[in-house]
Amino acid sequence: MAVGLGGAVGSLVRFALLTIGSDSDSGLILFAINVVGSLLLGLVLGRREHLSQQWRRGLGTGVAGGLTTFSGYAVAVAQDLDDGSLLAATSGGLGTPVAALVAAGIGFRLNRVLGARPSRAAGRAGSRTPGRERRPG
């Protein structure tokens, strides 16, 4: 339930932001949306020990997942390429993932400011190869 509600909130916020902006601003708006969503997810995962599972799922998978859009980012880059805007395609294509990674890292770091040390397991969630467990020590 929390994921569905959070996803609805995130999707509606993205829709509203894209609707109030002009078509010429849509690439910049998508960039901002994806960076802010990555920051939110970094904050949520960094505070995983302080948030219930419902809150983590609702805010992380729901709101951040509904807010961000990889497909919108990919289409914006493809449209820039199709329009012959190599500079816009390159800056958007490379800038978005770099800025999103930096924002997620900032989200983890902000947890220290907020008084919660980020969980080491949170940063590795989903990064382990299935079937391979980490060895102690």
Side-chain angles (χ1 to χ4, degrees), residues 17-29:
L17 291 171
L18 288 169
T19 302
I20 61 174
S22 68
D23 285 345
S24 63
D25 294 333
S26 64
L28 184 58
I29 293 169

Side-chain angles (χ1 to χ4, degrees), residues 6-7 10-11 14 37 40-41 57-70:
S11 296
R14 175 170 30 99
L40 173 62
L41 189 57
R57 288 181 177 173
L59 292 172
T61 304
V63 176
L67 178 64
T68 59
T69 172
F70 183 81

Side-chain angles (χ1 to χ4, degrees), residues 44-133:
V44 169
L45 290 178
R47 295 192 63 80
R48 77 182 298 136
E49 295 170 0
H50 304 281
L51 295 171
S52 71
Q53 184 178 34
Q54 287 294 91
W55 276 104
R56 286 192 315 268
R57 288 181 177 173
L59 292 172
T61 304
V63 176
L67 178 64
T68 59
T69 172
F70 183 81
S71 58
Y73 150 73
V75 167
V77 172
Q79 284 176 332
D80 286 338
L81 286 172
D82 190 53
D83 293 343
S85 303
L86 186 59
L87 180 61
T90 303
S91 62
L94 298 175
T96 297
V98 168
L101 286 169
V102 169
I106 289 170
F108 275 97
R109 296 283 182 208
L110 280 175
N111 284 294
R112 292 194 178 136
V113 173
L114 298 173
R117 184 168 173 88
S119 167
R120 289 194 173 268
R124 293 193 264 290
S127 65
R128 290 187 213 121
T129 305
R132 287 184 60 192
E133 296 300 321

